[in-house]
């Protein structure tokens, strides 16, 4: 077994937004274990630093940057910090997101819609803008955007979240068309029911039973693990997926077949 098999991202530099918990934290751990130097970005400083500390203690190379992904200046500063600190950017995972809806579209407050779009969609545009510029100045790279099964079908009382996640696929495909020839691959991972604080919070807000919800939302009869998403992201960041661009990998336990 070669070094590339064990540490397929050795010598590479990655950014992960939404890194302080759930899928983001799992992605950071996975990329660090694969050999990448990982810059963790999140607005939650305490939780982000905790994830960084654990990865560092396990022998990984990480940095944490407090980042509000809805702020253009923060997204630009994140990428600049990464290039200044590590000299390059090879991989970027745009995963920061919110989900807090409990009402249909006509009952949604304007400011709630704006906030959801700012964090879930506009942030992907802002981060990609500067990530792509850094990759064009280097040796190319791989960008992975975290979409959702809501990118393909709506769930009840999630109009803004659904709109934002449809938009993520639009940005992904458009950027892939524009930049693949320049050596930058752009793909997405669409998680289904993954056992994260965000999912548990949504279930609790709606007064649902977790076990019954798992049976309804998957063919597997259980929630997925954040590590399931991290492994898909790792593949897309690695050379194993060198001919894959403009695609969406759905990791949903069979939800979209139902």
């Amino acid at each position: 077994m070669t070094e590339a098999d064990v540490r397929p991202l050795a010598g590479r530099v990655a950014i992960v937004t939404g890194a302080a918990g759930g899928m983001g934290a799992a992605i950071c751990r996975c990329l660090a274990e694969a050999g990448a130097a990982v810059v963790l970005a999140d607005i939650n400083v305490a939780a982000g630093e905790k994830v960084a500390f654990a990865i560092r203690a396990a022998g990984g190379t990480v940095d944490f940057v407090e980042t509000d992904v809805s702020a253009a200046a923060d997204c630009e500063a994140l990428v600049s910090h990464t290039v200044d600190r590590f000299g390059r950017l090879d991989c970027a995972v745009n995963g920061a997101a919110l989900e807090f809806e409990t009402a249909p579209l006509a009952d949604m407050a304007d400011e709630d819609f704006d906030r959801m779009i700012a964090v879930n969609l506009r942030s992907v545009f802002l981060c990609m803008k500067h990530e792509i510029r850094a990759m064009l100045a280097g040796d190319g790279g791989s960008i992975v955007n975290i979409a959702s099964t809501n990118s393909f079908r709506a769930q009840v009382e999630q109009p803004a979240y659904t709109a934002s996640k449809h938009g993520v696929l639009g940005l992904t495909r458009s950027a892939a068309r524009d930049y693949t020839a320049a050596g930058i691959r752009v793909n997405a991972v669409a998680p289904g029911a993954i056992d994260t604080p965000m999912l548990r919070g949504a279930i609790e807000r709606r007064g649902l039973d977790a076990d019954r919800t798992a049976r309804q939302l998957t063919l597997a009869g259980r929630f997925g693990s954040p590590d399931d998403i991290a492994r898909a992201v790792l593949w897309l960041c690695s050379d194993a997926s060198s001919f894959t661009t403009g695609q969406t990998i759905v990791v949903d336990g069979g939800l979209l077949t139902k």
Side-chain angles (χ1 to χ4, degrees), residues 197-213:
M198 181 183 289
L199 177 65
R200 293 285 178 171
I203 291 170
E204 184 178 343
R205 284 194 303 275
R206 291 167 172 79
L208 302 175
D209 177 77
D211 291 337
R212 183 179 180 186
T213 299

Side-chain angles (χ1 to χ4, degrees), residues 30-54:
C30 186
L31 300 188
E33 288 170 1
V38 184
V39 177
L40 287 64
D42 205 285
I43 200 168
N44 188 332
V45 176
E49 291 284 14
K50 184 176 180 180
V51 174
F53 178 85

Side-chain angles (χ1 to χ4, degrees), residues 30-257:
C30 186
L31 300 188
E33 288 170 1
V38 184
V39 177
L40 287 64
D42 205 285
I43 200 168
N44 188 332
V45 176
E49 291 284 14
K50 184 176 180 180
V51 174
F53 178 85
I55 294 173
R56 205 173 288 119
T61 301
V62 296
D63 229 1
F64 174 77
V65 178
E66 180 181 2
T67 307
D68 177 356
V69 293
S70 68
D74 277 24
C75 296
E76 182 176 10
L78 168 65
V79 176
S80 294
H81 171 93
T82 301
V83 174
D84 290 345
R85 173 77 170 82
F86 294 107
R88 57 189 294 133
L89 177 63
D90 304 288
C91 311
V93 184
N94 299 309
L98 296 173
E99 197 291 301
F100 53 77
E101 295 167 284
T102 57
L105 188 150
D107 298 325
M108 187 173 198
D110 296 355
E111 56 269 25
D112 287 344
F113 181 87
D114 291 344
R115 177 63 175 159
M116 191 85 72
I117 295 300
V119 174
N120 293 8
L121 179 58
R122 186 171 184 267
S123 73
V124 176
F125 159 73
L126 292 172
C127 287
M128 286 177 67
K129 178 178 181 177
H130 297 290
E131 292 159 359
I132 288 168
R133 288 175 177 178
M135 291 176 179
L136 288 172
D139 299 319
S142 174
I143 295 174
V144 183
N145 296 321
I146 303 302
S148 169
T149 49
N150 279 52
S151 299
F152 301 96
R153 58 183 275 188
Q155 295 291 342
V156 174
E157 298 180 343
Q158 292 186 326
Y161 185 80
T162 298
S164 70
K165 291 302 184 178
H166 272 67
V168 167
L169 290 196
L171 287 176
T172 299
R173 292 163 178 161
S174 179
R177 295 225 27 172
D178 287 341
Y179 294 104
T180 294
I184 301 172
R185 295 184 298 108
V186 189
N187 294 287
V189 172
I194 305 300
D195 197 354
T196 64
M198 181 183 289
L199 177 65
R200 293 285 178 171
I203 291 170
E204 184 178 343
R205 284 194 303 275
R206 291 167 172 79
L208 302 175
D209 177 77
D211 291 337
R212 183 179 180 186
T213 299
R215 291 192 297 272
Q216 291 174 333
L217 293 182
T218 74
L219 297 180
R222 62 172 179 83
F223 294 135
S225 161
D227 289 335
D228 293 321
I229 305 304
R231 286 188 288 268
V233 169
L234 173 60
W235 184 75
L236 287 173
C237 286
S238 75
D239 292 340
S241 63
S242 62
F243 200 56
T244 302
T245 190
Q247 303 303 309
T248 303
I249 296 179
V250 179
V251 185
D252 71 346
L255 170 63
L256 293 184
T257 68

